[in-house]
């Protein structure tokens, strides 16, 4: 579709909407902005984002008259595709894209696309550093915090774009076509948006639907859903495994990671040479290595980065030590499975801060993962009563409910002794108490660093 001179409706005035509008205007496309918040201050919005200065903006409700004359709709990732407004647009026959589809329509070069319930950000950041250690023009974009649309116009045929892709973004792809895709794992998450686990799985698997026989999809062999999915693909599949040797793929054997190409086996690295903790991070390392090898990066260039790579902010991030107590920020542990990985990475008695926005998750497996390691569970937010009831049902009674985030941190510090760890790993989203998990993590770090040691 040639969009020059067309009229495109951008839905959402946040960071994705801003970037989409900027890209479209650069490409001489007429933009109309819609936001469901009818109380939005348009003057303030236009002052903050000059790109909206000469854009028609519709607030609150999109009428049939508003829909007439539209050639395309671009949804921000946070906009559910089953809203009545979106259904009306579909009935009108108007194509609906997301920001990823819009970006790849204009972008050049090769795309690496990484999804999964957990580990996306770490793997994307690591993969981006590896690519930049070999290729000259590398962009790291997507759910990691930089809209793909914000850099698409600056790409060339030589560009390698490493993109963290969420299930929300995969709902609205059509021709999106990565040279290498990866699905790290699939566990229950965002069921308030996708409604069923089957729908969530199918959405994640869309990342590979446009790949050709010559391209590669990297999958976790230990995830039964993904192992079965790999058997259905016509593209090349490269597995990684944390528990068994593979004839072709990457695997962990003891403390060493190996790569087997079907004929030869090469040691990649010993996990003690890494700066990131936990089995889940060894899986992230294997995935990133497989992606990089699939895109032609030499092994020595990969290993250089593996040895220096540090933990991503908010993902089991070491903060500081006070009175012999170590503090870790795992604010990105926004679902039970991610939080389990946070617990598993701890190597000392742990006081755990959990709770937050309710995404309709179940917490049984998270509680069961405590395994004697968690000595105190401090709960906050909308889910605190639900989690407390679940913990008691599993025989865990050492629970404190707090009204504020600061009270939770103080409670942990007061009850911790030298040799303990305090871990923020909420197993829940941050909404309701914080704008996002990044804000939650930043506040945690600032507050902890200011704690007095006397």
């Amino acid at each position: 579709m040639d969009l020059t001179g067309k009229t495109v409706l951008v839905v959402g005035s946040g960071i994705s909407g801003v970037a989409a509008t900027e890209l479209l205007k650069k490409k001489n496309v007429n933009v109309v902005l819609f936001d469901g918040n009818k109380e939005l201050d348009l003057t303030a919005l236009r002052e903050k984002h000059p790109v909206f200065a000469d854009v028609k903006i519709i607030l609150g409700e999109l009428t049939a008259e508003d829909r007439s004359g539209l050639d395309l709709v671009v949804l921000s990732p946070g906009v559910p595709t089953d809203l009545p407004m979106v259904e009306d647009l579909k009935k009108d026959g108007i194509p609906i894209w997301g920001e990823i589809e819009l970006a790849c329509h204009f972008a050049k070069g090769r795309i690496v696309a990484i999804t999964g319930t957990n580990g996306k950000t770490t793997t994307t950041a690591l993969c981006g550093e590896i690519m930049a250690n070999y290729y000259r023009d590398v962009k790291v974009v997507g759910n990691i915090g930089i809209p793909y649309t914000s850099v698409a116009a600056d790409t060339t045929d030589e560009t390698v774009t490493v993109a963290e892709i969420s299930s929300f973004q995969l709902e609205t792809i059509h021709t999106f076509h990565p040279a290498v895709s990866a699905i790290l794992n699939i566990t229950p998450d965002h069921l308030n948006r996708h409604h069923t686990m089957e729908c969530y799985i199918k959405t994640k698997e869309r990342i590979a639907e446009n790949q050709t026989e010559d391209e590669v999809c990297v999958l976790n062999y230990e995830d039964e859903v993904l192992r079965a999915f790999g058997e259905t693909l016509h593209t090349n599949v490269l597995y990684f495994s944390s528990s068994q040797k593979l004839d072709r793929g990457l695997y962990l054997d003891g403390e060493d990671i190996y790569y087997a190409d079907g004929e030869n086996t090469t040691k990649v690295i010993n996990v003690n040479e890494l700066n990131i903790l936990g089995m889940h991070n060894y899986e992230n390392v294997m995935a990133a290595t497989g992606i990089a090898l699939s895109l032609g990066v030499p092994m020595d260039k990969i290993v250089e980065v593996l040895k220096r790579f540090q933990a991503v902010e908010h993902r089991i991030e070491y903060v500081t030590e006070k009175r012999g107590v170590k503090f870790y920020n795992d604010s990105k542990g926004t679902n039970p499975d991610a939080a389990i990985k946070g617990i598993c990475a701890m190597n000392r008695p742990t006081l755990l801060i959990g709770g937050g926005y309710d995404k309709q998750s179940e917490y049984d497996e998270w509680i069961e993962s405590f395994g004697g390691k968690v000595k105190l569970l401090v709960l906050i937010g909308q889910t605190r009563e639900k989690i407390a009831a679940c913990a008691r049902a599993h025989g865990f009674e050492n629970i404190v409910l707090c009204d504020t985030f600061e009270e939770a941190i103080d409670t942990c510090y007061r009850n911790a002794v030298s040799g303990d760890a305090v871990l923020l790993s909420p197993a829940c989203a941050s909404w309701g108490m914080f704008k996002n998990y990044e804000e939650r993590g930043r506040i945690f770090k600032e507050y902890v660093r200011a704690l007095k040691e006397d």
Side-chain angles (χ1 to χ4, degrees), residues 15-16 19 99-100 139-151 162-164 169:
I15 183 173
S16 295
E99 63 167 328
I100 295 298
K139 315 286 187 190
V140 181
V141 302
N143 206 48
I144 201 167
I146 302 168
Y148 190 5
T149 42
S150 68
V151 304
V162 181
E164 177 185 345
Q169 291 166 321

Side-chain angles (χ1 to χ4, degrees), residues 145-452:
I146 302 168
Y148 190 5
T149 42
S150 68
V151 304
D154 302 321
T155 57
T156 70
D157 291 338
E158 303 304 313
T159 302
V160 174
T161 300
V162 181
E164 177 185 345
I165 308 293
S166 71
S167 59
F168 295 177
Q169 291 166 321
L170 288 169
E171 285 181 321
T172 48
I173 64 168
H174 298 277
T175 62
F176 176 60
H177 183 185
V180 183
S181 66
I183 311 178
L184 306 178
N185 45 64
I186 297 183
T187 57
D189 197 16
H190 298 302
L191 298 186
N192 56 329
R193 167 84 169 244
H194 297 292
H195 306 303
T196 68
M197 192 62 189
E198 181 182 18
C199 178
Y200 178 56
I201 291 169
K202 293 297 183 187
T203 304
K204 285 291 192 187
E205 291 176 345
R206 293 195 66 194
I207 199 166
E209 72 180 19
N210 294 318
Q211 288 190 281
T212 67
E213 294 179 0
D214 298 327
E215 292 164 334
V216 179
C217 181
V218 176
L219 297 172
N220 187 341
Y221 190 80
E222 299 312 311
D223 187 306
E224 292 183 7
V225 169
L226 295 179
R227 190 189 314 163
F229 175 59
E231 294 172 358
T232 70
L233 290 176
H234 61 270
T235 190
N236 287 315
V237 175
L238 183 67
Y239 288 110
F240 62 90
S241 173
S242 57
S243 64
Q244 53 194 303
K245 296 180 181 179
L246 301 177
D247 292 332
R248 183 174 180 272
L250 289 117
Y251 61 87
L252 180 67
D253 185 10
E255 294 185 334
D256 294 316
I257 293 173
Y258 290 92
Y259 168 64
D261 64 6
E263 295 181 0
N264 301 305
T265 299
T266 305
K267 179 182 171 181
V268 179
I269 197 168
N270 182 283
V271 297
N272 295 309
E273 298 177 84
L274 301 170
N275 297 306
I276 47 181
L277 298 171
M279 184 64 72
H280 65 291
N281 273 323
Y282 306 154
E283 292 180 340
N284 295 337
V285 165
M286 287 188 283
T289 301
I291 291 166
L293 289 171
S294 299
L295 217 64
V297 181
M299 185 68 81
D300 63 324
K301 291 292 183 180
I302 296 171
V303 174
E304 283 177 9
V305 176
L306 295 182
K307 288 181 176 180
R308 67 175 185 242
F309 183 76
Q310 301 290 328
V312 171
E313 187 179 18
H314 310 301
R315 196 65 184 103
I316 320 178
E317 175 193 10
Y318 173 71
V319 180
T320 190
E321 184 174 326
K322 297 287 180 87
R323 292 196 285 104
V325 178
K326 291 190 175 182
F327 290 81
Y328 292 89
N329 165 32
D330 191 37
S331 184
K332 202 173 190 304
T334 58
N335 60 64
D337 191 64
I340 287 171
K341 291 174 172 58
I343 290 294
C344 291
M346 293 297 100
N347 55 8
R348 49 176 56 203
T350 300
L351 296 89
L352 175 63
I353 300 173
Y357 178 81
D358 192 355
K359 292 195 290 184
Q360 306 303 315
S361 297
E362 299 296 330
Y363 301 98
D364 301 85
E365 292 185 14
W366 180 46
I367 302 298
E368 289 173 0
S369 76
F370 290 2
K373 190 181 295 185
V374 175
K375 58 186 288 187
L376 178 66
L377 177 60
V378 180
L379 297 170
I380 56 174
Q382 184 184 23
T383 57
R384 62 181 187 169
E385 299 284 357
K386 178 179 178 180
I387 295 173
C390 181
R392 292 188 181 103
H394 288 269
F396 189 94
E397 298 286 348
N398 201 12
I399 303 165
V400 176
L401 304 186
C402 293
D403 294 324
T404 69
F405 194 40
E406 292 76 12
E407 181 189 354
I409 300 171
D410 288 337
T411 299
C412 288
Y413 192 39
R414 190 169 59 248
N415 286 278
V417 298
S418 180
D420 287 348
V422 173
L423 172 66
L424 168 67
S425 188
C428 300
S430 58
W431 311 315
M433 297 182 74
F434 308 92
K435 288 189 295 187
N436 47 44
Y437 74 80
E438 292 97 335
E439 181 184 70
R440 178 170 62 188
R442 283 195 299 270
I443 291 172
F444 177 76
K445 291 191 289 184
E446 289 169 4
Y447 194 85
V448 161
R449 286 170 179 150
L451 290 171
K452 299 188 184 308

